[in-house]
């Protein structure tokens, strides 16, 4: 297997991060709007993070983690 074919099969880190945010939000029974309010972010921004469309800044990772009452490392891909 070539390096190129291996990379195409990998899920982007942004998507894995977004899925972890969404799963934690569901666990806490929060809407995207509620999470956005707690993290002081715009709801459409939170939606784009969950879909893996954003290369999110460190400050926003911390804000989302605090709003979700977890550590930023809990939201990171392994």
């Amino acid at each position: 297997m070539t390096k190129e074919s291996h990379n195409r099969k990998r899920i982007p880190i942004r998507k894995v991060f977004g899925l972890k945010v969404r799963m934690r939000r569901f666990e806490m029974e929060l809407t995207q709007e509620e999470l956005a309010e707690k993290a002081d972010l715009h709801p459409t921004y939170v939606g784009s993070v969950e879909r893996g469309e954003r290369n999110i800044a460190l400050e926003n990772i911390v804000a989302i983690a605090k709003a979700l009452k977890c550590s930023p490392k809990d939201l990171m891909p392994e």
Side-chain angles (χ1 to χ4, degrees):
M1 178 177 347
T2 67
K3 185 176 181 181
E4 183 180 8
S5 65
H6 176 69
N7 287 339
R8 276 189 267 153
K9 293 181 181 180
R10 292 184 57 201
I11 298 173
I13 292 171
R14 296 182 316 270
K15 286 210 177 260
V16 176
F17 177 84
L19 288 171
K20 288 187 171 218
V21 169
R22 180 175 286 156
M23 288 171 33
R24 178 69 179 159
R25 179 174 62 80
F26 285 166
E27 288 172 6
M28 293 185 67
E29 299 180 352
L30 295 172
T31 64
Q32 285 182 344
E33 291 78 12
E34 291 167 332
L35 173 56
E37 186 174 321
K38 288 177 181 291
D40 196 29
L41 298 169
H42 196 277
T44 58
Y45 181 84
V46 170
S48 65
V49 168
E50 288 188 358
R51 291 188 301 276
E53 297 171 351
R54 298 274 179 169
N55 190 7
I56 185 170
L58 181 58
E59 290 86 359
N60 293 338
I61 291 171
V62 171
I64 288 173
K66 283 183 181 180
L68 292 173
K69 298 181 180 173
C70 67
S71 169
K73 75 176 188 174
D74 296 333
L75 302 174
M76 293 294 144
E78 296 190 19

